[in-house]
Amino acid sequence: MRRSIMLSCGSYLPKKVMTNSDLAKLVDTTDEWIEQRTGIKKRHIAGEGEKTSDMATFAAEKALKKANLTGKDIDMIVLATTSPDNTFPATAVTVQANIGMHDKGFAFDIQAVCSGFIYALATADNFIKAGQVKRALVIGAEHFTSLIDWKDRTTCVLFGDGAGAVVLEANDNASGTKADRGILSTHLHSQGEFRSLLYVDGGPSSTKTVGHVRMNGKEVFRHAVTRMSEAIMEAMRENDVDPSEVKWLVPHQANKRIIDATAEKLNLSPDSVVMTVAEHGNTSAASIPLALTTAVEDGRIQRGDLILMEAMGGGLTWGAALARW
Ligand code: UT7
């Protein structure tokens, strides 16, 4: 049986840091409120002229280097973003050119907001399983602060910029059991009737502007805990996995309270949760690969560990992926 092995990962955060106290100078908020309600301490902001494709390229190059590969070894790039360089072409093709993936392969973007990385991972995994590509680069990259209304304290304190990437490779000798390395299953969902709970109030065919993020935070919070728990349970059920077998939960990093509530609901030990939201806030599609890279680089996630990834975002979209690192 064919599985997609996760060969390596890499991430990038811009140099410029904005603390909660910095934000308190812009809007009526406090360091205490932000930290208590979200767990966020700071976020990184892309530098002048620094684009989504630049951040994505840094993360991709780090992941490729760790796998001893170059762009020439990659057949496909799937890049999840809500904040592309341009309306078109896809940011993924700029990354394709940047990493020297010339004369071969293809690259495209995926838009599922904060669930983008799970959607991109599922897409690449399916291309690999279908036998259409051998190696794929899956990237989540966001210049999310360009979508922020810096006068709206209910959203501007939450988000940040960054990127993360994973290299996938086909393995044709998998057993087809949960003991296999690689992606065991992915589970995607969306419910368009809830799209007005979290959206950007602009776009080419509506206002002809870029627009700003608008969110009904309380409602999104409520849906997030319920839906992400459901997706995690679906992944565990499909693979006949007990919560005690999950070594690491690598969740979308939106809010510490959402992550804590989800882990508690599923009886997952707090010690098995990778939490990086304090360091970079909600980086949308970049947050899972950022958290994953942190835990792989600091040695928490080891080869063979069972990891559960989950996310929810605008759309509403949500999903989960179970993998053995
Ligand atoms: O990535 C996926 C999508 N996003 C999410 O997952 C985010 C989901 N939602 C959340 O994380 C939370 O709902 C928030 C962090 C956005 C808000 O936390 P909350 O506990 O739901 O607060 P709230 O919206 O109920 O607001 C409580 C109070 C309100 O004041 P009143 O009406 O009680 O007087 C707000 O006006 O806090 C006020 N408030 C603030 N105060 C200081 C809202 N934002 C701020 C702020 N600083 N930045």
Side-chain angles (χ1 to χ4, degrees):
M1 182 189 174
R2 184 174 256 225
R3 293 250 197 229
S4 313
I5 305 266
M6 300 173 89
L7 283 186
S8 63
C9 55
S11 65
Y12 173 79
L13 284 167
K15 279 195 189 66
K16 186 177 168 189
V17 167
M18 197 179 215
T19 63
N20 292 347
S21 307
D22 293 334
L23 271 165
K25 290 174 200 149
L26 289 182
V27 286
D28 181 15
T29 191
T30 60
D31 178 30
E32 296 73 41
W33 190 96
I34 301 171
E35 203 176 332
Q36 274 170 20
R37 298 288 176 132
T38 70
I40 299 167
K41 291 185 177 151
K42 58 181 178 148
R43 68 284 299 140
H44 293 247
I45 314 282
E48 191 65 34
E50 190 169 36
K51 300 189 294 297
T52 301
S53 60
D54 299 321
M55 296 187 275
T57 301
F58 276 125
E61 279 174 342
K62 284 188 195 166
L64 286 170
K65 196 168 173 209
K66 282 195 210 148
N68 283 320
L69 298 172
T70 71
K72 293 185 179 62
D73 301 308
I74 298 297
D75 308 308
M76 169 173 79
I77 298 175
V78 191
L79 188 151
T81 189
T82 298
S83 40
D85 292 3
N86 297 85
T87 304
F88 82 84
T91 302
V93 297
T94 303
V95 176
Q96 180 184 21
N98 289 349
I99 65 169
M101 188 179 148
H102 303 308
D103 301 325
K104 72 174 283 204
F106 55 97
F108 60 94
D109 287 1
I110 277 194
Q111 159 60 295
V113 206
C114 298
S115 311
F117 183 75
I118 299 286
Y119 271 62
L121 195 70
T123 305
D125 178 42
N126 283 319
F127 268 93
I128 287 175
K129 285 197 297 207
Q132 216 167 331
V133 303
K134 186 168 176 235
R135 287 199 199 96
L137 198 48
V138 181
I139 306 173
E142 298 281 14
H143 197 301
F144 209 90
T145 56
S146 57
L147 300 173
I148 293 299
D149 174 355
W150 291 103
K151 293 191 190 75
D152 178 5
R153 70 174 183 171
T154 68
T155 53
C156 76
V157 302
L158 304 175
F159 296 95
D161 301 330
V166 167
V167 179
L168 297 183
E169 184 181 67
N171 168 29
D172 285 316
N173 301 315
S175 67
T177 70
K178 65 180 175 183
D180 286 339
R181 256 187 75 195
I183 296 172
L184 299 182
S185 67
T186 57
H187 307 268
L188 305 182
H189 299 277
S190 65
Q191 223 174 341
E193 62 265 39
F194 293 120
R195 64 195 182 282
S196 61
L197 293 182
L198 175 52
Y199 67 104
V200 161
D201 61 2
S205 78
S206 53
T207 57
K208 299 176 179 62
T209 62
V210 172
H212 292 122
V213 175
R214 305 295 172 206
M215 176 166 72
N216 179 336
K218 259 202 177 350
E219 276 301 297
V220 173
F221 193 114
R222 199 172 60 76
H223 281 277
V225 177
T226 312
R227 295 311 195 184
M228 288 194 291
S229 308
E230 283 171 7
I232 288 174
M233 279 186 317
E234 197 183 346
M236 291 197 291
R237 230 183 1 255
E238 178 154 326
N239 295 283
D240 193 23
V241 161
D242 184 80
S244 63
E245 293 174 68
V246 176
K247 199 76 196 277
W248 297 105
L249 178 67
V250 188
H252 168 48
Q253 308 285 320
N255 185 321
K256 182 179 185 300
R257 287 159 54 218
I258 295 178
I259 298 172
D260 286 342
T262 309
E264 196 185 316
K265 207 168 166 184
L266 294 158
N267 252 335
L268 295 170
S269 145
D271 296 338
S272 67
V273 178
V274 178
M275 187 91 73
T276 56
V277 66
E279 304 306 310
H280 51 65
N282 183 347
T283 56
S284 184
S287 90
I288 291 177
L290 271 165
L292 179 69
T293 305
T294 301
V296 168
E297 285 182 350
D298 68 22
R300 271 179 289 172
I301 295 182
Q302 296 282 325
R303 280 289 169 217
D305 284 355
L306 202 55
I307 59 173
L308 238 176
M309 296 165 273
E310 44 89 338
M312 205 211 63
L316 293 175
T317 55
W318 67 97
L322 186 67
R324 195 172 292 283
W325 178 251

